[in-house]
Amino acid sequence: MDGQKTGIDITLEVVCGKWKGLILWKLLHEDHMRFNELRRAIDGNISSRILARELKKLVDDGLVARIDYETVPPRVEYQVTPYGKTTASFLTNMNNWGLEHKRQSATKLEMADLINREK
């Protein structure tokens, strides 16, 4: 291509990576979540620093809303915006594909194990 980004490039940049898709996935299935609640819900022990950075990017891109209740002690929640909800269909497809890939890989490993045992 002539230096122009494809839609795939842009999508991967905005919603993929190690954490952003998973953050969106969790928020798509909850009405709203507080920071530590979200951190605990994410498998893989994401650090607070990384979660804050990724949430800021998602907020900046308009996919997630940060709701500050301006109370003492501070209360902040995050929720997917209507625009962020447009990611649901392809994140669902990615999730389904990943689960099927895991199943296929497990089946291949089981077959290889059976073949090796017969030798």
Side-chain angles (χ1 to χ4, degrees):
M1 294 197 107
D2 58 353
Q4 292 182 331
K5 287 188 173 187
T6 66
I8 296 288
D9 291 327
I10 296 165
T11 301
L12 291 173
E13 186 178 298
V14 174
V15 298
C16 291
K18 186 169 181 179
W19 300 111
K20 286 193 274 186
L22 188 54
I23 292 166
L24 275 171
W25 184 251
K26 294 292 182 184
L27 289 173
L28 281 165
H29 292 89
E30 298 290 333
D31 185 37
H32 52 81
M33 294 180 89
R34 294 180 76 170
F35 184 87
N36 283 326
E37 181 182 25
L38 180 57
R39 192 169 67 82
R40 284 189 299 270
I42 294 173
D43 300 329
N45 300 322
I46 187 171
S47 72
S48 293
R49 187 178 128 267
I50 299 296
L51 179 58
R53 182 187 73 199
E54 298 299 282
L55 280 167
K56 183 177 182 333
K57 288 178 186 176
L58 290 167
V59 168
D60 290 347
D61 286 329
L63 300 172
V64 171
R66 181 182 187 273
I67 304 151
D68 187 344
Y69 291 95
E70 298 181 9
T71 59
V72 178
R75 179 174 168 221
V76 176
E77 294 179 343
Y78 295 90
Q79 68 183 156
V80 175
T81 64
Y83 179 57
K85 289 179 182 176
T86 64
T87 65
S89 62
F90 70 81
L91 289 175
T92 298
N93 287 336
M94 287 174 63
N95 182 61
N96 292 341
W97 186 89
L99 294 173
E100 178 61 22
H101 177 73
K102 181 179 177 183
R103 189 185 70 72
Q104 293 271 343
S105 295
T107 302
K108 288 176 186 172
L109 287 172
E110 290 167 2
M111 289 298 291
D113 191 41
L114 284 172
I115 292 168
N116 288 332
R117 273 193 259 162
E118 291 176 359
K119 289 182 178 181

